[in-house]
Amino acid sequence: MTLAKMAKRAASPGKKQRKVREKRIRVALPVRFTSVASGESQHACTLNITKDGARIAGLKLVPEVDELVEVTRGTKKEIFRVVWAGEPGTRDEGQVGIVKQKKGHGKIIWEATALKPVKTEAPPELPKSKLPPEPEPGVLYVPRKQLIGIGVGLAVLVSLTLFLLLRTPPPKTPAPRKLVSVAGVNATIASQINDAQKWRLADAGDFDAESFAWVRDRGQTVSTRIVLGSVSGRDESGYVLAPIEGSNTPQARRIVLFADKQIRFDKTFARVASIALVPRANIAGVNWQGQLRAPEATTDGLLVIQEQRDPQSSVLLFVSGVRIVTLPPADFHAVPLH
């Protein structure tokens, strides 16, 4: 081998250096989509899948980025992490991208069937069309199919003209719905809350007595008016809401956070035993489920406890830069509240 060929081979990248893009398969699979933090479950459908993740559509309650979710298909289930979420008002609204929590381990829940290659067959050849006979000199020849097409086109044109002439005027636009205020909540904020008439400001009696006492013994007073101190001086504020009497979900609690009189976070939890504030300086030392790494917090945190006797039934909510982060602590009893 010449020196020139040896130099050329050394300069070219080897096979191990080439990047291989993960293959995506477009397939619609019905799944059940459940939030690990809140336990809320909803039906959805895949748009495309890979061996370690998927793109999910049809979500009414869209989780936050980095939130853990459980996806169930038939009798199989898997834990995934949300890596992106579609922006509201865009074509991607209600969609999220997810990857396996333990990427590359085990079989994916749809690997046995959906990832099999699909066999395709070439379409059959169409018979060659016969040319019409040559017309006699001086005679205009119009094929029969063209005559039928012209007749159908004229009939459609006449029908459309009659429809435009006889149609009734469009109905008047209904007046905008008057939003019902929430007792004890700022009127500007209440006007932005969907189904405001079904909620009220929660009080001490809406929390679990055992969990309420646990928070009080650690030097905090549980308040349904939330203030999260911020490094920028622009504190995040919010409320804890409870459903009005007669609701089908009396244990549900709704947490709303806002800044500059604009709602930034609005989520309903199936159950909330109690809440507590976590100083911003203590968030970096929290141990998270799945050994997750939390971004730097720019506000204090709000610890939402769902079951007092279940150490993993909580979620810590805080602001990092311009987004709100929700992560599940490994044991909320070990989260420092001072």
Side-chain angles (χ1 to χ4, degrees), residues 226 228 236-239 255-259 262-266 302 317 319 324:
I226 305 166
L228 302 180
E236 300 281 340
S237 302
Y239 301 97
I255 295 179
V256 179
L257 295 181
F258 61 91
Q262 295 293 324
I263 291 181
R264 299 190 59 195
F265 180 86
D266 185 352
L302 178 66
L317 187 154
V319 178
I324 294 183

Side-chain angles (χ1 to χ4, degrees), residues 1 9 21 30 34-35 48 55 65 67 98 116 140 151 165 176-177 182 189 226-227 229 237 252-253 260 269 316 326:
M1 181 182 294
R9 174 172 294 183
R21 185 175 181 181
T34 305
S35 171
N48 57 56
R55 181 170 182 169
V65 174
E67 187 172 339
I98 59 175
K116 290 183 179 179
L140 178 63
L165 292 176
R177 179 174 63 90
V182 179
I189 301 302
I226 305 166
V227 178
S237 302
R253 299 293 179 264
D260 296 331
F269 295 83
L316 184 58
T326 56

Side-chain angles (χ1 to χ4, degrees), residues 69-92:
V69 296
E70 181 185 82
V71 179
T72 305
R73 178 172 176 260
T75 59
K76 300 178 180 179
K77 61 180 63 177
E78 184 69 44
I79 298 297
F80 293 84
R81 180 172 61 86
V82 178
V83 294
W84 70 269
E87 293 291 333
T90 66
R91 58 185 291 183
D92 296 330

Side-chain angles (χ1 to χ4, degrees), residues 96-325:
V96 296
I98 59 175
V99 296
K100 289 177 64 175
Q101 180 64 13
K102 295 183 178 180
K103 192 172 181 180
H105 291 266
K107 292 184 177 180
I108 198 70
I109 57 177
W110 42 70
E111 185 175 87
T113 57
L115 295 182
K116 290 183 179 179
V118 179
K119 297 182 179 180
T120 58
E121 298 180 356
E125 294 185 359
L126 297 176
K128 297 182 179 179
S129 60
K130 296 183 180 180
L131 297 176
E134 290 289 336
E136 297 180 4
V139 177
L140 178 63
Y141 176 80
V142 180
R144 182 180 179 183
K145 291 184 178 180
Q146 290 188 13
L147 289 175
I148 296 175
I150 293 173
V152 172
L154 290 174
V156 172
L157 180 61
V158 172
S159 300
L160 182 60
T161 303
L162 292 175
F163 172 77
L164 294 176
L165 292 176
L166 300 177
R167 68 173 182 170
T168 57
K172 295 182 180 180
T173 304
R177 179 174 63 90
K178 184 178 180 181
L179 296 175
V180 181
S181 62
V182 179
V185 177
N186 178 278
T188 303
I189 301 302
S191 66
Q192 303 176 46
I193 299 176
N194 293 330
D195 297 327
Q197 69 277 11
K198 298 180 181 180
W199 299 88
R200 60 175 174 81
L201 186 65
D203 53 36
D206 293 314
F207 295 108
D208 178 75
E210 180 182 357
S211 185
F212 190 90
W214 182 84
V215 175
R216 184 185 56 194
D217 292 343
R218 279 150 184 80
Q220 286 198 22
T221 301
V222 178
S223 174
T224 55
R225 298 177 185 269
I226 305 166
V227 178
L228 302 180
S230 172
V231 294
S232 64
R234 298 169 55 190
D235 296 344
E236 300 281 340
S237 302
Y239 301 97
V240 180
L241 306 179
I244 61 174
E245 295 182 3
S247 171
N248 294 330
T249 56
Q251 298 296 325
R253 299 293 179 264
R254 189 173 181 178
I255 295 179
V256 179
L257 295 181
F258 61 91
D260 296 331
K261 297 184 179 181
Q262 295 293 324
I263 291 181
R264 299 190 59 195
F265 180 86
D266 185 352
K267 187 169 184 177
T268 301
F269 295 83
R271 173 181 171 81
V272 173
S274 186
I275 60 173
L277 296 179
V278 179
R280 183 179 63 87
N282 297 347
I283 296 178
V286 176
N287 292 323
W288 309 100
Q289 295 182 30
Q291 297 181 347
L292 298 174
R293 296 184 62 184
E296 182 180 1
T298 54
T299 67
D300 295 335
L302 178 66
L303 182 63
V304 181
I305 304 170
Q306 296 174 278
E307 292 288 346
Q308 179 64 31
R309 299 186 181 183
D310 183 356
Q312 294 188 335
S313 67
S314 72
V315 61
L316 184 58
L317 187 154
F318 60 92
V319 178
S320 176
V322 296
R323 66 190 182 98
I324 294 183
V325 180

Side-chain angles (χ1 to χ4, degrees), residues 46-62:
T46 65
L47 288 180
N48 57 56
I49 60 176
T50 68
K51 65 177 183 179
D52 284 316
R55 181 170 182 169
I56 305 294
L59 297 174
K60 295 182 178 179
L61 300 175
V62 179

